[in-house]
Amino acid sequence: MKKQKNTSPETDKASDAPLLLVLHGPNLNLLGTREPMHYGSTTLAEINLALAHRAEGAGVNLESFQSNHEGALIERVHAAREQGVLYMIVNPAAYTHTSVALRDAIAGTGIPFIEVHLSNVHAREAFRHHSYFSDLAIGVITGLGSEGYLLALEYLLSKISPE
Ligand code: DQA
């Protein structure tokens, strides 16, 4: 499996181009081998690469960050505000259904975001039907696999550079 590299505010060069952040929650580092019947066979590294290429083609900066730790995700959201992140794409993974703290972090920064899930959470167990994020999100994409991230990016690019 390819190794996922997180990008961080410290390591990225400053640029005037708009900045987007993709936030991946716990266990998404296992994509590619994790329950492929739900999550497909695309790895997180492949998803992040596809997003980075598309963003680069549109002249937009995009950083991706994955963590299995709630606090690390919260701190990355706080840093996003300092960086001036314009939009986020967020798959909170299991924290979707549990984390008031991550919800509050995103609400506290006010950064608009699209919530993405690879699987159709509404076709799965009842505990996956509730999200602490959906009412805050611009919109929710669920069940379209890894393409969901790219569709979310296309939408955000259309908002950044309307035709
Ligand atoms: C998920 C759905 C969640 O219920 C689950 O806990 C995940 C991934 C998805 O992308 O389908 O880890 O967010």
Side-chain angles (χ1 to χ4, degrees), residues 77-144:
V77 171
H78 294 176
R81 180 169 66 178
E82 302 308 311
Q83 285 181 286
V85 166
L86 194 57
Y87 292 109
M88 298 189 293
I89 296 170
V90 182
N91 183 348
Y95 289 142
T96 306
H97 321 296
T98 65
S99 183
V100 176
L102 185 57
R103 172 199 166 91
D104 284 353
I106 293 177
T109 64
I111 301 171
F113 71 100
I114 298 181
E115 177 181 345
V116 170
H117 301 283
L118 296 124
S119 64
N120 179 354
V121 288
H122 300 290
R124 300 181 64 194
E125 303 96 319
F127 67 82
R128 295 186 203 276
H129 297 178
H130 176 259
S131 165
Y132 278 105
F133 299 85
S134 299
D135 62 309
L136 298 178
I138 300 168
V140 182
I141 298 175
T142 186
L144 303 186

Side-chain angles (χ1 to χ4, degrees), residues 15-30:
S15 160
D16 289 339
L19 177 59
L20 307 183
L21 174 66
V22 187
L23 204 65
H24 304 282
N27 302 306
L28 293 175
N29 55 310
L30 300 179

